[in-house]
């Protein structure tokens, strides 16, 4: 039972264009969400997070949008750069529950 | 670089053996979480330690156990290894203040292969 779903295993984007990575969740108790990026042979690197009291959070080229009614969030990267090529994971948590629930990841390839 | 280190990088064991994986937290962090990431999957939460006590556990059997030391370094121990335990084991450190946990920062992981 996958509570956090990333339905696109891979995405390919041209350098300079926008990358949009999507994530859906089923548990309405989740109240904070995070995006991590992972390169091969490295641990996940924190990118950006959003609390359920917000619908948008922006940090440089990265913006996360949250649609609570649709139980959907998305990560926008603009402009995309070849160095952004990695696997992106969406993770969710509820309150002070220590357990983060992760999606399966989306592999992003940014082509020069 | 997060400042979280893990050792060893790679490890090969046989079924039935025991293994200990180590993690050194980022300076100033008092909380460590361990995750198992099987091939093609997202990380699965194993457990978390806060001030040397287990502070939350995922759906893993008791043969997965851990320790956190006063300097906030940590160990993950797995007894009676099974083939399905082959995975990347990730350690993440964070700072918890007044019951609120901050963002988790990950180490590079230990790749365990069970033959």
């Amino acid at each position: 039972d996958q509570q956090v779903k990333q339905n696109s295993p891979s995405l390919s984007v041209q350098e300079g264009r926008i990358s949009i990575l999507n994530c859906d969740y089923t548990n309405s108790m989740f109240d904070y969400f995070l995006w991590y990026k992972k390169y091969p042979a490295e641990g996940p690197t924190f990118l950006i997070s959003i609390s359920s009291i917000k619908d948008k959070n922006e940090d440089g080229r990265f913006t996360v949008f949250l649609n609570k009614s649709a139980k959907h969030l998305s990560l926008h990267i603009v402009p995309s750069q070849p160095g952004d090529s990695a696997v992106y994971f969406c993770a969710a948590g509820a309150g002070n529950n220590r357990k983060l629930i992760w999606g399966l990841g989306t592999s992003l390839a940014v082509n020069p | 670089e997060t400042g979280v280190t893990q050792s060893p990088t790679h490890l090969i064991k046989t079924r039935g053996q025991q293994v200990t994986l180590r993690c050194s937290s980022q300076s100033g962090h008092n909380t460590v979480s361990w995750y198992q990431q099987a091939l093609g999957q997202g990380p699965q939460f194993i457990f978390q330690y806060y001030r040397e006590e287990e502070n939350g556990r995922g759906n893993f059997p008791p043969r997965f156990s851990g320790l956190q030391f006063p300097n906030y370094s940590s160990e993950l121990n797995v007894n009676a290894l099974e083939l399905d335990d082959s995975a990347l084991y990730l350690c993440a450190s964070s700072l918890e203040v007044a019951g609120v946990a901050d963002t988790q920062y990950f180490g590079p992981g230990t790749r365990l292969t069970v033959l």
Side-chain angles (χ1 to χ4, degrees), chain A residues 2 32 34 36 38 41-46 49 89 96 98-105, chain B residues 35 37 40-43 45 48 55 58 88 90 96 99-101 103-108:
Chain A
Q2 197 74 20
Y32 66 93
L34 307 94
Y36 282 83
K38 188 177 185 303
E42 293 185 13
T45 302
F46 171 74
S49 64
F89 289 96
N96 286 336
R98 273 66 183 169
K99 185 166 65 171
L100 282 181
I101 306 298
W102 295 67
L104 297 182
Chain B
Y35 292 83
Q37 186 178 12
Q41 303 292 316
F45 176 76
Q48 185 183 81
N55 189 32
L88 179 69
L90 294 162
E96 180 170 323
V100 179
T103 303
Q104 296 180 16
Y105 294 90
F106 285 80

Side-chain angles (χ1 to χ4, degrees), chain A residues 36-70:
Chain A
Y36 282 83
K37 175 172 74 172
K38 188 177 185 303
Y39 293 118
E42 293 185 13
T45 302
F46 171 74
L47 269 178
I48 193 168
S49 64
I50 189 166
S51 148
S52 60
I53 62 173
K54 292 185 163 185
D55 54 19
K56 177 182 173 182
N57 189 24
E58 192 171 352
D59 183 1
R61 296 186 297 115
F62 302 92
T63 303
V64 56
F65 295 92
L66 175 62
N67 182 334
K68 287 188 291 294
S69 60

